[in-house]
Amino acid sequence: MGVSRTYEGRDGAPVRALADISLHADANELLAVVGPSGCGKTTLLELICGLQRADHGSIECAPAALMPQHDLLLPWLSALDNAALALRIARVPRARARARAAELFLELGLAGFEQARPDELSGGMRQRVAFVRTLLSGKALLCLDEPFGALDAITRAEMHAWLVEALRIQARTVVLVTHDVEEAVVLADRVAVLSSRPGRVVEELEVALERPRSRTDPAVVALRERALIALGLGKARDEA
């Protein structure tokens, strides 16, 4: 609560990334965090995961696993072994790690791709494997850093549907960072809108809509517009 973070920029000058951030996520809730580039969204995830320390305030959460923007699959490993890597790092024997990864491949619709190398997989499939690897970390809290940002619009929509189903099967608490306001509303239970740097929470939106959601649903469109207005990009500013 009340978290602030300042770091040293390339020129040695202090950069205030976050200022007095207070957020919470309930168990098995998906909290989306949106905001302009450079507002401290990735810094927030790294603070949650213990990769950075806050200068002020406190963070109280379950151990968290970070899924970075890029899939970071190892090219010499199969898809199955890439996913199982999270367990191997935890010293789980290889056969047991591969068996557990294979179970998730079957549950989450990846069966048949176990032996594929990363260069044989589409962008969407690589992100699926990276997500399974994150699940296999065993952490109750997952931090997803723009996992679909590099995908084309059609693949991104497919990944939205896949993630919703994956979290139905393997429930976790999720903090999702994205630049895409529409993506946030389609996926999240709540959306936190951050200001430009230093990032502050300027709006929190409850998304009390049943899943799956359509981006053309009037309720989704209305919430998207509210988030854009909070960012200073919606119709309210245009009409002012």
Side-chain angles (χ1 to χ4, degrees):
M1 301 295 285
V3 169
S4 297
R5 177 71 173 118
T6 300
Y7 60 89
E8 185 176 298
R10 293 181 180 178
D11 59 358
V15 177
R16 294 184 68 204
L18 297 169
D20 196 29
I21 291 281
S22 293
L23 288 170
H24 79 278
D26 295 328
N28 298 334
E29 181 179 42
L30 197 159
L31 170 67
V33 180
V34 299
S37 295
C39 74
K41 299 186 297 296
T42 296
T43 298
L44 176 62
L45 294 188
E46 292 183 352
L47 288 167
I48 293 170
C49 292
L51 301 176
Q52 295 191 41
R53 291 187 177 182
D55 300 311
H56 302 284
S58 62
I59 298 173
E60 298 179 9
C61 65
L66 176 66
M67 180 177 169
Q69 295 179 25
H70 304 292
D71 58 71
L72 301 181
L73 300 183
L74 300 180
W76 58 89
L77 293 182
S78 68
L80 188 71
D81 285 323
N82 264 292
L85 192 59
L87 294 172
R88 297 291 289 128
I89 290 171
R91 299 183 181 277
V92 174
R94 182 170 184 265
R96 192 187 309 166
R98 296 181 91 243
R100 178 60 185 133
E103 290 175 6
L104 278 185
F105 269 51
L106 182 60
E107 285 184 15
L108 302 182
L110 302 181
F113 292 91
E114 292 88 346
Q115 300 310 313
R117 290 292 192 271
D119 63 0
E120 299 173 316
L121 299 173
S122 66
M125 189 60 71
R126 290 173 66 107
Q127 290 301 94
R128 288 176 169 90
V129 174
F131 183 75
V132 172
R133 181 185 61 201
T134 309
L135 280 175
L136 287 170
S137 69
K139 302 296 193 296
L141 175 58
L142 308 182
C143 292
L144 312 185
D145 190 359
E146 298 190 61
F148 313 131
L151 303 178
D152 63 81
I154 294 173
T155 305
R156 192 180 307 123
E158 293 172 348
M159 286 301 299
H160 291 167
W162 181 84
L163 180 62
V164 168
E165 179 63 11
L167 290 174
R168 186 190 67 79
I169 297 169
Q170 292 283 330
R172 296 290 193 282
T173 305
V174 175
V175 180
L176 167 72
V177 154
T178 177
H179 281 100
D180 188 336
V181 173
E182 184 174 271
E183 175 175 87
V185 174
V186 166
L187 292 176
D189 298 295
R190 282 187 302 116
V191 178
V193 182
L194 301 190
S195 67
S196 57
R197 190 170 63 219
R200 296 180 173 87
V201 178
V202 295
E203 183 82 74
E204 282 195 54
L205 303 176
E206 296 284 343
V207 189
L209 303 174
E210 291 186 4
R211 296 184 175 91
R213 300 168 187 159
S214 169
R215 61 189 180 86
T216 58
D217 185 314
V220 169
V221 173
L223 284 166
R224 171 183 173 275
E225 187 61 26
R226 284 181 59 190
L228 288 172
I229 289 170
L231 287 166
L233 300 172
K235 292 181 179 178
R237 191 182 77 164
D238 293 339
E239 295 170 358

